[in-house]
PDB file of all heavy atoms in Angstrom:
ATOM      1  N   PRO A 323     -22.952 -13.772 -18.755  1.00  0.00           N
ATOM      2  CA  PRO A 323     -24.331 -13.422 -19.179  1.00  0.00           C
ATOM      3  C   PRO A 323     -25.276 -14.611 -18.793  1.00  0.00           C
ATOM      4  O   PRO A 323     -24.956 -15.754 -19.074  1.00  0.00           O
ATOM      5  CB  PRO A 323     -24.304 -13.214 -20.634  1.00  0.00           C
ATOM      6  CG  PRO A 323     -23.004 -13.798 -21.121  1.00  0.00           C
ATOM      7  CD  PRO A 323     -22.113 -13.965 -19.960  1.00  0.00           C
ATOM      8  N   LEU A 324     -26.412 -14.320 -18.200  1.00  0.00           N
ATOM      9  CA  LEU A 324     -27.293 -15.398 -17.742  1.00  0.00           C
ATOM     10  C   LEU A 324     -28.473 -15.506 -18.738  1.00  0.00           C
ATOM     11  O   LEU A 324     -28.743 -14.579 -19.519  1.00  0.00           O
ATOM     12  CB  LEU A 324     -27.844 -15.078 -16.380  1.00  0.00           C
ATOM     13  CG  LEU A 324     -26.865 -14.880 -15.255  1.00  0.00           C
ATOM     14  CD1 LEU A 324     -27.556 -14.486 -13.971  1.00  0.00           C
ATOM     15  CD2 LEU A 324     -26.033 -16.184 -14.996  1.00  0.00           C
ATOM     16  N   ASP A 325     -29.125 -16.676 -18.741  1.00  0.00           N
ATOM     17  CA  ASP A 325     -30.276 -16.889 -19.605  1.00  0.00           C
ATOM     18  C   ASP A 325     -31.539 -16.291 -18.907  1.00  0.00           C
ATOM     19  O   ASP A 325     -32.517 -16.991 -18.783  1.00  0.00           O
ATOM     20  CB  ASP A 325     -30.454 -18.406 -19.839  1.00  0.00           C
ATOM     21  CG  ASP A 325     -30.212 -18.716 -21.246  1.00  0.00           C
ATOM     22  OD1 ASP A 325     -30.091 -17.821 -22.082  1.00  0.00           O
ATOM     23  OD2 ASP A 325     -30.086 -19.927 -21.535  1.00  0.00           O
ATOM     24  N   GLU A 326     -31.401 -15.057 -18.475  1.00  0.00           N
ATOM     25  CA  GLU A 326     -32.439 -14.513 -17.668  1.00  0.00           C
ATOM     26  C   GLU A 326     -32.462 -13.017 -17.853  1.00  0.00           C
ATOM     27  O   GLU A 326     -31.446 -12.344 -18.042  1.00  0.00           O
ATOM     28  CB  GLU A 326     -32.059 -14.799 -16.159  1.00  0.00           C
ATOM     29  CG  GLU A 326     -33.160 -15.142 -15.241  1.00  0.00           C
ATOM     30  CD  GLU A 326     -32.601 -15.467 -13.839  1.00  0.00           C
ATOM     31  OE1 GLU A 326     -31.719 -16.360 -13.746  1.00  0.00           O
ATOM     32  OE2 GLU A 326     -33.070 -14.891 -12.859  1.00  0.00           O
ATOM     33  N   LYS A 327     -33.687 -12.463 -17.768  1.00  0.00           N
ATOM     34  CA  LYS A 327     -33.800 -11.021 -17.895  1.00  0.00           C
ATOM     35  C   LYS A 327     -34.443 -10.350 -16.657  1.00  0.00           C
ATOM     36  O   LYS A 327     -34.974 -11.045 -15.868  1.00  0.00           O
ATOM     37  CB  LYS A 327     -34.567 -10.661 -19.190  1.00  0.00           C
ATOM     38  CG  LYS A 327     -33.883 -11.135 -20.433  1.00  0.00           C
ATOM     39  CD  LYS A 327     -34.270 -10.411 -21.646  1.00  0.00           C
ATOM     40  CE  LYS A 327     -33.330 -10.738 -22.795  1.00  0.00           C
ATOM     41  NZ  LYS A 327     -33.559  -9.885 -24.010  1.00  0.00           N
ATOM     42  N   GLN A 328     -34.278  -9.030 -16.582  1.00  0.00           N
ATOM     43  CA  GLN A 328     -34.958  -8.327 -15.541  1.00  0.00           C
ATOM     44  C   GLN A 328     -36.446  -8.614 -15.523  1.00  0.00           C
ATOM     45  O   GLN A 328     -37.007  -8.837 -16.591  1.00  0.00           O
ATOM     46  CB  GLN A 328     -34.799  -6.809 -15.812  1.00  0.00           C
ATOM     47  CG  GLN A 328     -33.508  -6.236 -15.335  1.00  0.00           C
ATOM     48  CD  GLN A 328     -33.535  -4.710 -15.639  1.00  0.00           C
ATOM     49  OE1 GLN A 328     -33.789  -4.321 -16.770  1.00  0.00           O
ATOM     50  NE2 GLN A 328     -33.315  -3.931 -14.624  1.00  0.00           N
ATOM     51  N   LYS A 329     -37.072  -8.535 -14.344  1.00  0.00           N
ATOM     52  CA  LYS A 329     -38.509  -8.668 -14.321  1.00  0.00           C
ATOM     53  C   LYS A 329     -39.149  -7.472 -13.646  1.00  0.00           C
ATOM     54  O   LYS A 329     -38.538  -6.794 -12.835  1.00  0.00           O
ATOM     55  CB  LYS A 329     -38.851  -9.945 -13.443  1.00  0.00           C
ATOM     56  CG  LYS A 329     -38.884 -11.199 -14.316  1.00  0.00           C
ATOM     57  CD  LYS A 329     -38.948 -12.429 -13.427  1.00  0.00           C
ATOM     58  CE  LYS A 329     -38.475 -13.617 -14.198  1.00  0.00           C
ATOM     59  NZ  LYS A 329     -37.842 -14.666 -13.399  1.00  0.00           N
ATOM     60  N   GLY A 330     -40.390  -7.199 -14.054  1.00  0.00           N
ATOM     61  CA  GLY A 330     -41.122  -6.105 -13.442  1.00  0.00           C
ATOM     62  C   GLY A 330     -40.593  -4.725 -13.647  1.00  0.00           C
ATOM     63  O   GLY A 330     -40.683  -3.876 -12.794  1.00  0.00           O
ATOM     64  N   VAL A 331     -39.949  -4.485 -14.811  1.00  0.00           N
ATOM     65  CA  VAL A 331     -39.484  -3.116 -15.130  1.00  0.00           C
ATOM     66  C   VAL A 331     -40.336  -2.542 -16.228  1.00  0.00           C
ATOM     67  O   VAL A 331     -40.826  -3.301 -17.084  1.00  0.00           O
ATOM     68  CB  VAL A 331     -38.018  -3.126 -15.511  1.00  0.00           C
ATOM     69  CG1 VAL A 331     -37.117  -3.340 -14.294  1.00  0.00           C
ATOM     70  CG2 VAL A 331     -37.692  -4.127 -16.596  1.00  0.00           C
TER      71      VAL A 331
END
Side-chain angles (χ1 to χ4, degrees):
Chain A
L324 301 174
D325 249 348
E326 219 176 308
K327 296 205 168 184
Q328 278 183 305
K329 275 169 198 149
V331 286

